[in-house]
Amino acid sequence: APLKVTKILCIGAGYVGGPTCAVIALKCPHIKVTIVDLNQARIDAWNSPDFKLPIYEPGLEDVVRQCRGRNLFFSTDVEKGIQDAELIFVSVNTPTKKSGVGAGFAADLNYVELATRQIAAVATSSKIVVEKSTVPCRTAESMRTILEANSKPNCRFDILSNPEFLAEGTAISDLFNPDRVLIGSLQTPEGKAACAALKGVYANWVKEEQILTVGLWSSELSKLAANAMLAQRISSVNALSAICEATGANIDEVANAVGYDSRVGPKFLKASVGFGGSCFQKDILNLVYLSESLHLPEVAAYWRQVVEMNEYQKRRFSKRVVDTLFNTITGKRIAVLGFAFKADTGDTRESAAITLIRDFQSERALVNIYDPQVNEAQIWADLQEASPGIPLESIKKQVTIHKSALDACRDAEAVVIATEWKEFKEIAWEEVYKYMKKPAFVFDGRLLVDAERLGAIGFKVTTIGRSA
Ligand code: NAD
Ligand code: UGA
């Protein structure tokens, strides 16, 4: 019979480790789940008495309220966590390398390696080690080499790949109801036994037929492939949006017509100002790097174009704003509604808003920002990082952060919708119109608002994928 897991550790209390293991704790009351992180502030937030959690995710607080202190624990004691656990998820960050070999493309595996080395150093009993982080194909091999080289007698390590497919903003419902759970293992008796043990955990709430078990390398590559194909749909629809703007076709109508084909499907075909988030670009660049390392330059070029199209889409949108505002935005006030990379998250990693605002800054416009979830410190940090060498004091002369959409729009010449927050659909646009300079422009980067209705109020509306 497979090992019945009763003690799980998760290393990394971020956007993936936190929600994923909180849901495991909820669905498996018989399993003790501990989530550890090196970042004390993050752990304190997870433990905060008033549930001011470090990440905003609909439904998450409710899950944590039910389990915290019962069978869900947050801690910075990584060593104790490792010693106690039977199964360990490694859910640390794997950002794109900033320097050295593969800079700008390859994944920085330093955090994965450090976590692996710590497991090897501290463990005194056998462990199932699960890659939860998104990693390049064959990373499990490096992990195994490190673990085996450091293992003690009576201490064996089995490695599994179990990539996470949740999307931010819908993490809890994605975890409750996943399209599939993917587990990769070596096809040895020990590998299969470890796989069965992890499968047993998910089987507490996921149907058997939705738990796919495959080889380790397939599992690792499937994660990169899934993100590359999802992002590819967005770049394809965004490329078509440029044709729509030039021809009078309407991208929503085109996407709808194409998506009706059951082979294409209707989801994930929304034209936008460009995809953001911590993973699409990173994982595609990772795939590009892998292809190049394997001497497959045509394959690398194919996937690289998905990222290039996304950069083009952002540039094109900024340029359209400048062109429409009579070819100059110098000294003009622009309200940017939304700073998060998508709705229902406070996450700003690779958000298109950052690029747009940087472009507006370099045209010497004045920028007002409002986002319902992103905190001010995060906005300043992102703007600072986007404009290296420019002191924050100078940025603050051009940029102001506001506490409501209405405030942000006051005296503005143009409103740019950068994130599809539902509340932007429901703004009192008649009020906004009164407060703005005339002509009052709206640039909808998210196909969010009803252009006809806004036009009737008096706005001059520009929408992605529609001619003006
Ligand atoms: P994150 O930065 O939010 O969280 C990672 C955490 O790991 C950080 O809090 C960091 O302090 C901690 N950490 C790093 N090294 C550690 C160590 N040695 N010991 C203890 N803690 C350590 O990252 P994330 O968004 O949760 O992503 C984690 C992984 O999951 C990445 O590989 C990412 O590609 C993948 N992923 C992310 C998403 C998503 O929606 N964000 C979805 C699927 C997969
Ligand atoms: C994405 C994938 O959807 C998840 O399956 C995956 O687990 C995750 O990456 C990851 O590996 O990190 P996420 O980035 O959280 O999830 O959010 P998405 O909903 O995929 O949105 C990504 C970006 O694409 C956002 O900026 C969103 O606004 C944009 N998008 C999405 C569009 O522009 N059009 C669409 O039709 C869909």
Side-chain angles (χ1 to χ4, degrees):
L3 167 74
K4 203 150 167 44
V5 178
T6 58
K7 284 172 285 179
I8 289 180
L9 175 74
C10 175
I11 303 182
Y15 286 89
V16 170
T20 307
C21 288
V23 167
I24 291 180
L26 181 76
K27 299 291 186 182
C28 312
H30 58 287
I31 298 180
K32 180 186 171 198
V33 179
T34 306
I35 308 180
V36 292
D37 204 294
L38 298 173
N39 183 333
Q40 181 76 52
R42 235 178 188 184
I43 290 300
D44 290 346
W46 281 111
N47 280 325
S48 72
D50 53 354
F51 292 86
K52 291 249 170 309
L53 305 182
I55 62 182
Y56 172 73
E57 190 64 65
L60 175 64
E61 185 183 321
D62 185 46
V63 174
V64 176
R65 275 184 189 274
Q66 289 185 62
C67 311
R68 199 177 73 187
R70 179 189 79 181
N71 65 329
L72 175 65
F73 303 91
F74 297 92
S75 159
T76 51
D77 194 343
V78 182
E79 292 199 1
K80 179 166 179 298
I82 292 171
Q83 276 162 353
D84 287 351
E86 296 151 350
L87 184 148
I88 303 175
F89 286 107
V90 177
S91 186
V92 300
N93 35 328
T94 52
T96 305
K97 272 182 87 171
K98 289 195 169 141
S99 61
V101 177
F105 288 92
D108 182 349
L109 293 177
N110 196 32
Y111 302 98
V112 173
E113 179 166 342
L114 287 176
T116 309
R117 284 189 182 275
Q118 200 165 9
I119 296 171
V122 172
T124 48
S125 59
S126 298
K127 312 283 172 197
I128 298 175
V129 179
V130 185
E131 287 174 348
K132 193 51 139 169
S133 298
T134 301
V135 290
C137 198
R138 296 199 80 86
T139 300
E141 184 133 288
S142 321
M143 291 173 77
R144 188 154 60 105
T145 309
I146 292 169
L147 290 170
E148 281 175 359
N150 292 286
S151 72
K152 301 168 199 77
N154 304 323
C155 204
R156 63 165 285 122
F157 296 107
D158 287 293
I159 301 191
L160 299 174
S161 157
N162 173 223
E164 185 47 60
F165 296 100
L166 68 81
E168 288 175 30
T170 54
I172 299 302
S173 61
D174 291 345
L175 289 163
F176 280 7
N177 251 319
D179 285 349
R180 79 316 211 170
V181 166
L182 183 63
I183 307 175
S185 70
L186 286 179
Q187 299 304 303
T188 57
E190 296 82 3
K192 287 181 177 170
C195 178
L198 181 57
K199 192 172 172 179
V201 174
Y202 285 108
N204 284 290
W205 78 99
V206 182
K207 285 197 208 90
E208 182 110 2
E209 61 271 24
Q210 281 173 308
I211 306 176
L212 313 181
T213 56
V214 300
L216 264 181
W217 323 129
S218 301
S219 174
E220 290 177 337
L221 185 59
S222 298
K223 175 61 196 178
L224 298 183
N227 273 356
M229 292 191 67
L230 287 169
Q232 172 272 124
R233 282 172 74 94
I234 304 172
S235 278
S236 296
V237 90
N238 282 344
L240 292 166
S241 76
I243 301 182
C244 289
E245 287 163 30
T247 55
N250 175 333
I251 192 61
D252 254 353
E253 293 176 350
V254 173
N256 186 48
V258 173
Y260 249 86
D261 189 320
S262 61
R263 293 167 301 176
V264 176
K267 293 185 187 164
F268 239 74
L269 287 178
K270 195 89 182 153
S272 68
V273 68
F275 60 73
S278 61
C279 291
F280 278 172
Q281 175 175 310
K282 155 175 95 66
D283 293 348
I284 295 170
L285 294 175
N286 195 331
L287 195 61
V288 169
Y289 184 72
L290 178 72
S291 310
E292 262 161 12
S293 319
L294 298 169
H295 308 290
L296 303 168
E298 290 83 355
V299 179
Y302 176 79
W303 289 114
R304 181 182 288 134
Q305 192 58 28
V306 172
V307 174
E308 281 175 10
M309 182 53 61
N310 197 49
E311 292 303 311
Y312 168 74
Q313 186 75 351
K314 290 186 268 184
R315 272 201 309 279
R316 216 166 61 75
F317 188 80
S318 301
K319 183 167 182 305
R320 205 165 172 213
V321 172
V322 177
D323 290 353
T324 309
L325 293 175
F326 316 110
N327 299 313
T328 175
I329 56 172
T330 302
K332 293 182 181 170
R333 192 166 289 284
I334 299 184
V336 176
L337 299 187
F339 195 84
F341 81 96
K342 63 182 281 194
D344 292 328
T345 179
D347 194 353
T348 63
R349 292 178 288 181
E350 305 295 336
S351 177
I354 300 172
T355 313
L356 300 183
I357 293 165
R358 191 207 53 206
D359 290 352
F360 299 156
Q361 279 172 253
S362 55
E363 295 287 342
R364 290 184 287 130
L366 301 167
V367 181
N368 288 357
I369 301 173
Y370 168 68
D371 187 285
Q373 275 301 330
V374 181
N375 67 58
E376 290 202 13
Q378 186 63 50
I379 295 179
W380 293 128
D382 289 332
L383 294 182
Q384 173 90 85
E385 199 187 325
S387 301
I390 300 183
L392 188 57
E393 293 322 304
S394 322
I395 296 177
K396 286 188 173 177
K397 285 189 186 132
Q398 260 183 293
V399 180
T400 327
I401 301 171
H402 292 268
K403 297 219 178 310
S404 77
L406 208 58
D407 277 347
C409 295
R410 204 179 296 273
D411 293 327
E413 320 231 359
V415 176
V416 169
I417 299 173
T419 310
E420 71 283 22
W421 284 103
K422 194 159 159 269
E423 69 169 76
F424 301 156
K425 227 179 150 78
E426 293 153 2
I427 299 176
W429 284 104
E430 289 83 359
E431 288 296 295
V432 171
Y433 186 74
K434 282 189 214 148
Y435 287 136
M436 285 178 65
K437 296 231 171 85
K438 310 294 170 339
F441 293 91
V442 171
F443 296 89
D444 186 355
R446 292 293 187 166
L447 294 166
L448 185 76
V449 294
D450 181 342
E452 278 69 36
R453 192 171 85 76
L454 265 58
I457 296 173
F459 287 104
K460 302 216 171 302
V461 185
T462 302
T463 309
I464 287 267
R466 286 210 205 174
S467 52

